[in-house]
Amino acid sequence: EVQLVESGGGVEQPGGSLRLSCAASGFTLDDYTIHWVRQTPGKGLEWVSLINGDGGVTLYADSVRGRFTISRDNSKNSLYLQMKTLGIEDTALYYCATENSSGYFQHWGQGTLVTVSS
Amino acid sequence: QSVLTQPPSASGAPGQRVTISCSGSSSNIGTNTLHWYQQPPRTAPKVLIYRNTQRPSGVPDRFSGSKSGTSASLAISGLQSEDEADYYCATWDDSLDGWVFGGGTKLTVL
């Protein structure tokens, strides 16, 4: 069964850091471009970042560029999001998702909740 | 404010047809293919329509997509109670060099 499981969320103070992980099972992650997408509680979806199969291409939304770093370890079939200088606006449910050959987000995890609060 | 504009809500009675619009610009919908996602309460989104008009296997043909210029629409016919969900359009934006989503439309089946 294809599965993505995010972890690493929690409560952090403004200015703090968190590292999210996304573990894949049932398929080989390095065949895919992987994305982080977040959803503010009760609100819409916002794309955060992507990394291609070999990790050579990374892109970020303007709202997180310079603060977040996406990476992957294909040997561990895992994806990561290092988040620094967190602000209240970063409070959201963070999903990882695979992009398939037709260009859409095919597999999604269940999300991990990040709460930034003093 | 989202780059892609959707109505915040839509509704219809069981059996009726509902359409949800998604409006963008030449740097996103006007140039790139668009996808629609369905998100029932407390679950992750799943793709409903990809590449403007294509349905993944398992998605009923009650769901259809169209695109013209810088706008797109999702149509749902024969509305059912299980169609109650949030619906999002998404595409790549060449100017932003990133993916953009619509603000989402909450569909209520009356």
Side-chain angles (χ1 to χ4, degrees):
Chain A
E1 180 193 2
V2 171
Q3 199 172 14
L4 292 170
V5 178
E6 302 93 337
S7 60
V11 180
E12 185 56 64
Q13 292 188 339
S17 300
L18 278 175
R19 188 193 193 214
L20 306 184
S21 299
C22 170
S25 60
F27 69 104
T28 303
L29 202 57
D30 60 3
D31 290 338
Y32 295 90
T33 291
I34 314 293
H35 300 256
W36 286 101
V37 176
R38 67 186 180 184
Q39 186 165 32
T40 309
K43 299 234 176 124
L45 300 169
E46 179 188 13
W47 175 78
V48 173
S49 181
L50 73 80
I51 186 168
N52 74 336
D54 64 9
V57 176
T58 57
L59 291 172
Y60 299 91
D62 288 345
S63 58
V64 307
R65 188 177 296 115
R67 301 187 299 121
F68 291 10
T69 303
I70 191 171
S71 62
R72 65 194 299 162
D73 186 339
N74 289 338
S75 68
K76 295 182 178 178
N77 225 26
S78 293
L79 171 77
Y80 307 100
L81 187 68
Q82 177 68 52
M83 305 187 296
K84 297 181 178 179
T85 320
L86 286 164
I88 294 173
E89 68 278 9
D90 297 316
T91 294
L93 184 65
Y94 285 74
Y95 294 102
C96 60
T98 62
E99 179 183 338
N100 71 359
S101 59
S102 293
Y104 63 86
F105 304 151
Q106 181 177 14
H107 301 300
W108 297 68
Q110 83 292 343
T112 185
L113 184 62
V114 171
T115 303
V116 183
S117 173
S118 54
Chain B
Q1 190 159 342
S2 302
V3 173
L4 304 180
T5 301
Q6 296 180 235
S9 63
S11 62
Q16 284 190 333
R17 183 176 186 269
V18 167
T19 61
I20 297 171
S21 62
C22 176
S23 177
S25 68
S26 58
S27 65
N28 43 66
I29 297 178
T31 307
N32 300 298
T33 60
L34 183 114
H35 313 301
W36 288 94
Y37 295 89
Q38 178 192 57
Q39 186 179 32
R42 295 173 298 282
T43 64
K46 75 163 192 176
V47 71
L48 205 57
I49 298 290
Y50 68 96
R51 290 186 176 176
N52 307 324
T53 61
Q54 305 302 302
R55 275 189 315 275
S57 59
V59 173
D61 60 6
R62 302 187 295 106
F63 296 90
S64 62
S66 64
K67 187 183 110 167
S68 178
T70 59
S71 294
S73 291
L74 172 70
I76 308 171
S77 59
L79 210 54
Q80 300 179 4
S81 58
E82 63 252 37
D83 297 334
E84 277 207 347
D86 293 327
Y87 292 83
Y88 295 91
C89 56
T91 187
W92 181 263
D93 191 295
D94 291 341
S95 295
L96 296 174
D97 214 15
W99 283 84
V100 291
F101 285 91
T105 298
K106 183 175 184 63
L107 176 64
T108 301
V109 180
L110 303 171

